[in-house]
Amino acid sequence: MGIVSFFKEAGQKLFGPKEADGPGDAADKQARVTSANEKAGKAIEAYIASQKLDAAGLKVEFDGTTSTVTVSGQAEDMATKERIVLCCGNVRGVHAVNDLMTVAQSTQASRFYTVVSGDTLSGIAKGQYGKANAYMKIFEANKPMLSDPDKIYPGQLLRIPA
């Protein structure tokens, strides 16, 4: 999939205040940056686990200077891979995800859709499939990140299965 862009100011809030700021010499500041990046990577991994998603050898790294997550590992299928990438990117403070994941069983990739203000799943379904009542297909494709069809937000990236 490569690099996937996200809206940095939208998504789950997993990170606390910037720990890298503050007094100290260059070595102190670098140590704080490294620690903050590691904590952010672990927070994203915990979020992925909380969504009951898994991949063999899953590794998540965060680079705060570029607001980029790099994710690697082998997912069982394309749907799981795409959900993991969305978990990484639909996090406040993340601008891009460098997707280095592979899949054990290759299937057709989904399209992606960025939610804009005023969108509903039925409106998105009508635009993508020609039928508003196909919204459940989109909802199911984005579970467990979506817990309710009415809880989407501007900037959120959604999977649109074929």
Side-chain angles (χ1 to χ4, degrees):
M1 201 183 282
I3 301 288
V4 182
S5 295
F6 291 84
F7 284 97
K8 185 177 175 182
E9 301 306 319
Q12 295 288 326
K13 187 170 170 128
L14 301 180
F15 311 146
K18 288 187 177 183
E19 298 175 16
D21 296 335
D25 63 16
D28 289 339
K29 289 182 181 185
Q30 184 56 47
R32 286 196 302 269
V33 166
T34 300
S35 175
N37 285 344
E38 288 173 1
K39 285 181 182 178
K42 288 185 188 321
I44 294 169
E45 281 184 18
Y47 177 58
I48 292 167
S50 77
Q51 300 300 308
K52 301 193 180 2
L53 298 169
D54 192 25
L58 181 67
K59 185 175 181 184
V60 178
E61 296 176 337
F62 181 72
D63 179 353
T65 59
T66 61
S67 302
T68 300
V69 172
T70 298
V71 61
S72 60
Q74 184 177 45
E76 183 177 317
D77 54 38
M78 186 63 77
T80 302
K81 173 187 170 181
E82 291 170 346
R83 287 180 174 124
I84 289 171
V85 170
L86 289 177
C87 278
C88 292
N90 284 324
V91 170
R92 190 169 303 209
V94 173
H95 174 70
V97 174
N98 182 15
D99 173 15
L100 301 178
M101 293 192 67
T102 60
V103 293
Q105 298 177 341
S106 185
T107 56
Q108 183 178 2
S110 300
R111 295 182 315 270
F112 291 94
Y113 178 84
T114 302
V115 176
V116 296
S117 183
D119 271 346
T120 62
L121 282 187
S122 59
I124 295 167
K126 184 168 175 114
Q128 296 293 316
Y129 300 120
K131 300 182 284 185
N133 64 354
Y135 76 94
M136 284 304 289
K137 185 174 184 177
I138 299 171
F139 177 66
E140 292 296 326
N142 288 279
K143 276 183 158 181
M145 287 89 53
L146 291 182
S147 59
D148 184 309
D150 295 325
K151 292 187 178 180
I152 61 173
Y153 54 86
Q156 184 176 27
L157 200 62
L158 299 174
R159 291 181 63 236
I160 308 295

